[in-house]
Amino acid sequence: MHYRLCFLLVATLASAQERITIDAGTLIDGKGGFRKNQQIVIDGSRIVEIRPAKGKSTYDLHAFTIMPGWIDTHVHITWHFNAQNILVNGREDPASSALYSAENAYVTLMGGFTTVQSVGAPMDASVRDRINQGSLAGPRILTSIRQINNMTARPDPDHPASVEALREYVRKTKADGADLIKLFATAGMGAGGAQTLTDEQIQAVCGEAKNVGLRAIVHAISDAGVKASVLAGCTSIEHGNFVKDETLDLMAERGTFFDPNLLVIHNYIDKKESFPNIRDFKPLQDALEPTAEVFEHARVHHVKVVFGTDAVAGAHGRNAEEFIYRVKDAHEKPMDAILSATSVAAESLGLADRIGTIAPGYEADLVAVEGNPLEEITAVRHVVFVLKGGRVYRNTR
Ligand SMILES: [Zn+2]
């Protein structure tokens, strides 16, 4: 009897500690809804109830707007500048790489992003695992660990990779612990963005990814590269700056996700001196307008647009600037931009039933901002509170 009482008492204390309530002045649920004066009840790492606010709460955020923790589907968490503010492009000591990556993860979480997809470097996996163990503060990370391009798995410098070698490479990447596959179907913007893998090679990579249960996301700048990737059944198109309307229709028809990005272009242009490896900024400058237009066309053609910033050095922690570029330059509705970074992004990651929505059963990932981004999008710059998996990481009200 005595033992039983003690046990009950301990259990009650434990759940009392774990159960927290948060009052939200405005709650944006990540599914297109918003409500005033709500209370979110959280037990452990999960949301258990949403109810009208009443009584005293653990965290009174009635002066703020609460959203699901934001999701960035395209970052490079290891990229950073050195102490002289220049891109580290090549070798450095492993301790610096590790510490800068941890720092990037930390500032990303503080900036309101509770999940990111990093695409990808071998170090990503270590950062991901340390964060999952709870010993490092950072967003939940999904990573491709490496990138597949036209130099990957070649038998020698004069011959392209065989379809079988690429399939093998996908299987190895999965075995090494990747959460997804990242491939380059085209060259970069500066190099013209033309298709660099054959249709058969793209089919091999995306097809094998599917076979082993991984998603495949594709860097594709030109329309031809995008089209080949959509037809190959790849999961998501990254960038797609010059995609044509008929290819957007194809994406809508096939359910291909689309991840155009503006912050990355601005980040390069605004921090020119930090990127001495880029000789000509004109292609980037010239891509700004077509990229903003691509967002508008994608919406008209009902494509599922996710939220990826392609955050490289200089952009970590500022991921939310993408919201502002989208609304101000690409004329997105604030609610559409928020949906992109919440439930739609979650769906693209295969996590639609776990994150990206404030509802019972979902992970308790929340971000609170000063002001209301539905009225003034720059509110996303004013993050005051970040909760990930029920744990408070930022509380700077
Ligand atoms: Zn990228």
Side-chain angles (χ1 to χ4, degrees):
M1 187 63 190
H2 181 246
Y3 167 81
R4 266 190 125 172
L5 260 178
C6 276
F7 176 78
L8 270 177
L9 193 64
V10 170
T12 312
L13 279 175
S15 72
Q17 276 169 354
E18 280 169 22
R19 189 169 271 242
I20 60 170
T21 52
I22 300 176
D23 280 351
T26 302
L27 185 152
I28 300 174
D29 64 10
K31 284 287 202 184
F34 70 98
R35 280 170 285 171
K36 294 280 181 189
N37 301 318
Q38 299 293 302
Q39 187 169 74
I40 306 165
V41 185
I42 293 158
D43 195 356
S45 69
R46 297 287 174 123
I47 297 166
V48 289
E49 195 187 347
I50 317 292
R51 61 194 183 196
K54 67 164 198 272
K56 198 173 157 18
S57 57
T58 321
Y59 297 98
D60 181 0
L61 303 182
H62 80 268
F64 305 100
T65 301
I66 299 189
M67 288 157 270
W70 296 322
I71 300 166
D72 189 333
T73 55
H74 190 137
V75 305
H76 298 273
I77 208 77
T78 60
W79 280 48
H80 64 93
F81 298 138
N82 64 15
Q84 288 72 45
N85 236 9
I86 301 293
L87 178 71
V88 173
N89 198 5
R91 282 194 205 154
E92 71 175 330
D93 65 285
S96 291
S97 298
L99 283 167
Y100 275 114
S101 301
E103 179 184 312
N104 288 343
Y106 177 77
V107 298
T108 301
L109 180 63
M110 293 303 116
F113 287 78
T114 49
T115 302
V116 300
Q117 183 159 258
S118 190
V119 294
M123 174 99 48
D124 292 355
S126 313
V127 181
R128 172 194 66 189
D129 295 345
R130 300 306 299 157
I131 290 170
N132 285 347
Q133 280 158 12
S135 44
L136 182 66
R140 200 174 282 110
I141 292 180
L142 304 172
T143 176
S144 61
I145 298 181
R146 56 183 73 102
Q147 307 179 338
I148 296 175
N149 57 38
N150 61 345
M151 309 294 272
T152 303
R154 292 186 305 171
D156 59 64
D158 299 323
H159 294 89
S162 70
V163 161
E164 194 36 60
L166 286 169
R167 287 184 179 277
E168 174 65 38
Y169 197 83
V170 168
R171 291 194 293 272
K172 180 183 160 23
T173 303
K174 157 103 177 177
D176 290 342
D179 303 291
L180 72 146
I181 297 296
K182 163 82 187 287
L183 69 146
F184 279 72
T186 75
M189 189 106 66
Q195 192 171 337
T196 46
L197 288 184
T198 65
D199 291 3
E200 292 72 25
Q201 286 177 315
I202 298 169
Q203 285 156 15
V205 174
C206 290
E208 192 63 17
K210 200 171 261 174
N211 285 345
V212 298
L214 294 183
R215 296 169 295 112
I217 75 165
V218 190
H219 163 112
I221 305 285
S222 66
D223 184 68
V226 174
K227 193 173 175 189
S229 305
V230 174
L231 290 172
C234 310
T235 313
S236 174
I237 301 299
E238 310 299 299
H239 319 306
N241 313 67
F242 304 110
V243 68
K244 291 182 181 149
D245 284 354
E246 64 245 38
T247 308
L248 289 171
D249 283 336
L250 196 63
M251 289 168 75
E253 200 183 299
R254 302 258 172 150
T256 314
F257 293 95
F258 189 28
D259 190 4
N261 0 83
L262 285 161
L263 171 61
V264 63
I265 308 176
H266 285 282
N267 184 67
Y268 281 132
I269 294 170
D270 295 348
K271 302 188 176 187
K272 276 192 181 79
E273 296 76 24
S274 296
F275 294 100
N277 58 319
I278 301 179
R279 261 169 272 139
D280 185 7
F281 285 85
K282 194 168 179 300
L284 288 161
Q285 189 72 51
D286 291 347
L288 277 174
E289 214 179 292
T291 305
E293 279 169 18
V294 132
F295 274 96
E296 298 187 61
H297 286 234
R299 292 297 182 185
V300 172
H301 290 258
H302 307 291
V303 178
K304 289 193 272 192
V305 180
V306 298
F307 188 100
T309 62
D310 196 7
V312 293
H316 301 291
R318 302 194 302 121
N319 313 56
E321 294 296 315
E322 184 81 29
F323 285 112
I324 299 165
Y325 290 124
R326 281 183 171 209
V327 171
K328 301 225 155 157
D329 298 351
H331 311 112
E332 281 211 320
K333 295 191 190 92
M335 184 62 101
D336 284 344
I338 292 167
L339 279 166
S340 268
T342 54
S343 62
V344 181
E347 185 194 343
S348 83
L349 303 179
L351 297 172
D353 56 353
R354 256 193 79 195
I355 60 171
T357 300
I358 301 179
Y362 280 82
E363 287 286 321
D365 291 357
L366 304 174
V367 53
V369 300
E370 229 172 290
N372 183 346
L374 297 177
E375 288 158 12
E376 173 48 60
I377 194 63
T378 53
V380 296
R381 283 184 182 142
H382 307 295
V383 171
V384 292
F385 188 87
V386 177
L387 189 84
K388 191 191 83 176
R391 190 167 154 189
V392 178
Y393 284 92
R394 177 170 185 170
N395 186 7
T396 47
R397 290 173 285 157

